[in-house]
Amino acid sequence: MGIVAGLDSSPDFTRIVVCDTDTGAVLRQGYAPHPVESTESGGRPSDVDPQAWLLSLGEAAGGGLLEGVQAIGVSAQQNGLVPLDAQGNTVRPALVGGDKRAQVAAADLVDALGGREAWAQAVGCVPQAAQPVTKLRWLNRNEPDAAQRTAVLLQAHDWLVWQLLGRPLRRTTDRGGASSTGYWSAATGAYRPDLVDLALGHQATLPEVLGPSEAAGTTPEGLLISAGTGETMAAAFGLGIGLGDAVVSLGASGSVMAVHTEALADPSGMITSLADATGLHLPVVTTLNAVRTLRGAAELLGLPDLESLSELAMKSTPGSHGLVLLPYLEGERTPNLPHTAGTLAGLRRESMRPEHLARAAFEGMLCGLADALDVLRGRGVDVRRVFLLGAAAELPAVQAAAPALFGAQVVVPQPADYAALGAARQAAWALGVSQGTLDPRLPPVWQGAVAQILEPGEELAVGQAVRQQYVSVREQTHPGAFRA
């Protein structure tokens, strides 16, 4: 018996859970927002002093929260690049988030290596504005002095682990975090220093990549610190997903990831090939339009919230009386149609009712995500269960349509701090391995997420007919969009 802690440093806050090492039961929790001011437009800043993460961590851990804890795991926002000089000081604030400033840099990098396929083969992903490799290119082009002084590259969780260990000479990361940099390949398990050079203009020291159950070190006080990982990988580990499972996240945009045995190189660039926190792989496909589709429909229909939209949609029937919404409101990544717009098809006099439009918005969003699932299935990824995350997963209209449209059992977990739980589970694994009580290849078995289970049942045939109606409109409007 023992206790471990999982720390999740998200873009906005630090959350800590203290768990029983054997069962994963949460014993205590802490929370603190990052002391970061919003931008003038009210959004998140693209530049953040990493000290803000430490201050938040200290506040969240206050009141003796970590008393008796034997090991800590760290999860943190992905794509947060911390450039350090040769002395270990930050050259400039960390570059975080989506960072639209770097869109031109992303296109530059794609061209510089010879196109999307060259990147997919090299590191399993095509550069996007958010990725560290792209931020390096932006830094090189826009702040050459800072770029020149950059000697060491860390991500947010690497930097936090290094701080907790007292800033040792050895700096570490894990497979999950490394796989989202754009200069480490999940397929080969190796860095591509030439891509750092291509982006930054010179070489830099990169952290050592630890195995899933390895410890990064021990604090001066004797506390074991596990490898840590990115938020996506930590959340997957906290949920307890395995082979045959996919996770569909419903944010403004959507993402679909699944557990797979190998890294997938995708020349079309639709699949981002990430590594997970257990030694397996997490291929991810993103869509630009998920809940923003529902919010747009609610505004168009004069409804105050998504609950009202869901209630209205439930008055319609599967297929929305022939209405089909292609939800490409912001352009789309899956399929790759960056400059397109949404399409509403199937307008007939009898279909021109608010409830049918409301239903078409839900079906359009879910069919767009089903397209993303099919990209993975088409590459041999087994999907038997789909975990549905995000506040919109609780909406009756989503739950009524999702199992039949996805063609799989749908699991709606209760809201919980899954990234922090995953970090704690990693800490328990590293602790068990260090004590000789756990196998380095098998993570501790913890209680699964409390969840609602939804089966497609008799609705499967109807759902697949609705899906086919959507695919027909998509193919007619954007012929060949899914052919590489």
Side-chain angles (χ1 to χ4, degrees), residues 208 243 298 327 381 410 481:
E208 178 187 336
L243 292 170
V381 178
V410 168

Side-chain angles (χ1 to χ4, degrees), residues 236-439:
F237 198 39
L239 276 168
I241 65 169
L243 292 170
D245 292 335
V247 177
V248 172
S249 296
L250 300 175
S253 53
S255 71
V256 177
M257 67 179 176
V259 182
H260 197 46
T261 51
E262 59 184 345
L264 298 176
D266 174 37
S268 72
M270 284 193 287
I271 298 174
T272 297
S273 197
L274 300 177
D276 79 347
T278 73
L280 291 169
H281 295 269
L282 276 180
V284 180
V285 179
T286 57
T287 70
L288 294 181
N289 302 279
V291 175
R292 64 165 43 97
T293 307
L294 304 183
R295 296 207 183 282
E299 285 175 24
L300 184 64
L301 292 166
L303 298 172
D305 50 41
L306 298 187
E307 288 72 21
S308 307
L309 185 72
S310 172
E311 196 178 322
L312 183 61
M314 294 298 282
K315 293 176 182 172
S316 179
T317 51
S320 312
H321 270 252
L323 274 191
V324 175
L325 177 65
L326 300 183
Y328 306 153
L329 309 183
E330 296 279 318
E332 191 45 85
R333 267 188 70 182
T334 308
N336 187 27
L337 298 165
H339 306 300
T340 193
T343 302
L344 184 63
L347 283 169
R348 297 181 184 277
R349 179 64 193 89
E350 61 271 19
S351 65
M352 296 175 76
R353 297 186 58 81
E355 62 269 27
H356 302 324
L357 178 58
R359 176 99 189 188
F362 282 96
E363 289 178 345
M365 174 186 78
L366 292 169
C367 283
L369 290 160
D371 277 351
L373 269 173
D374 280 355
V375 169
L376 294 176
R377 283 174 166 143
R379 292 297 307 279
V381 178
D382 183 27
V383 177
R384 294 190 300 274
R385 287 195 304 180
V386 175
F387 284 71
L388 206 52
L389 301 185
E394 303 286 338
L395 296 171
V398 169
Q399 296 191 0
L405 292 177
F406 292 159
Q409 182 188 82
V410 168
V411 180
V412 184
Q414 277 186 5
D417 305 316
Y418 291 110
L421 286 167
R425 190 177 174 205
Q426 188 195 61
W429 193 5
L431 181 66
V433 169
S434 76
Q435 294 172 338
T437 57
L438 285 179
D439 186 324

Side-chain angles (χ1 to χ4, degrees), residues 452-474:
Q452 227 180 323
I453 310 292
L454 308 168
E455 299 283 358
E458 295 173 5
E459 295 296 311
L460 183 59
V462 175
Q464 294 310 291
V466 172
R467 182 81 206 291
Q468 192 50 54
Q469 175 180 273
Y470 175 91
V471 169
S472 298
V473 172
R474 189 198 70 220

Side-chain angles (χ1 to χ4, degrees), residues 121-139:
Q121 294 296 340
V123 286
C125 60
V126 177
Q128 304 292 333
Q131 280 178 299
V133 71
T134 307
K135 287 170 174 164
L136 288 179
R137 179 73 157 200
W138 180 89
L139 195 63

